[in-house]
Amino acid sequence: MADTSDTFKKAPKRKPSKGKSVSVSPEMRQAYADLIKEREDKEQAYGRHLRKDEPRR
């Protein structure tokens, strides 16, 4: 039979990997900010037209 002492051991801890950083041009950064702002505006406009749930009695 196999040696069970190795079967149930904890795996060794991994070192956390460093995150990648990406540099973008100021124009791209502004375009991305505009895209986020536009999306927020669309979500707010969509939310205004939804029917509000009335509380149950």
Side-chain angles (χ1 to χ4, degrees):
M1 221 166 156
D3 188 16
T4 58
S5 63
D6 290 337
T7 306
F8 298 107
K9 284 188 177 178
K10 283 188 173 180
K13 298 261 184 184
R14 292 185 182 181
K15 290 184 180 179
S17 61
K18 291 189 174 184
K20 295 181 181 178
S21 63
V22 179
S23 60
V24 294
S25 66
E27 295 86 16
M28 286 294 293
R29 188 179 305 233
Q30 184 61 41
Y32 189 67
D34 293 343
L35 183 69
I36 292 172
K37 178 73 173 156
E38 184 179 329
R39 186 176 296 161
E40 287 176 355
D41 292 343
K42 282 183 181 180
E43 285 181 14
Q44 286 179 352
Y46 179 74
R48 274 189 233 123
H49 298 292
L50 293 178
R51 185 175 64 123
K52 302 281 188 226
D53 292 337
E54 295 180 12
R56 293 184 179 173
R57 297 178 194 177

